[in-house]
Amino acid sequence: MCKAATRLMSLKQDRRLTFREKVSLRLHLSMCGACRECDRQFTLLHEAGKRYIAAQDHTEDSR
């Protein structure tokens, strides 16, 4: 089940999950601390990547 949850966590970063996918992921995360931590890390990395790209764009605009 963790493998499927990890796949959904990854997909969540790229698109909206379907209702069924959201429910499945939430249910799994409610029971699995390791996957909750993994989800937190996916989100952190995704946000850091977005900030990096924004900073690069800002740096290029000011040249």
Side-chain angles (χ1 to χ4, degrees):
M1 192 68 190
C2 291
K3 187 174 182 178
T6 303
R7 184 179 138 303
L8 290 173
M9 288 179 238
S10 181
L11 285 173
K12 182 174 78 167
Q13 302 304 319
D14 299 325
R15 66 167 175 84
R16 292 181 75 116
L17 298 180
T18 65
F19 178 75
R20 178 180 233 153
E21 290 170 332
K22 284 181 194 177
V23 170
S24 176
L25 181 57
R26 284 183 187 160
L27 178 61
H28 183 79
L29 292 177
S30 73
M31 297 181 290
C32 184
C35 284
R36 280 193 301 274
E37 181 61 21
C38 183
D39 188 44
R40 188 187 70 75
Q41 290 176 4
F42 265 119
T43 301
L44 180 72
L45 288 170
H46 186 74
E47 291 299 318
K50 287 192 327 191
R51 283 191 219 115
Y52 177 78
I53 290 169
Q56 291 297 96
D57 289 345
H58 180 71
T59 302
E60 290 175 7
D61 289 345
S62 58
R63 287 184 187 175

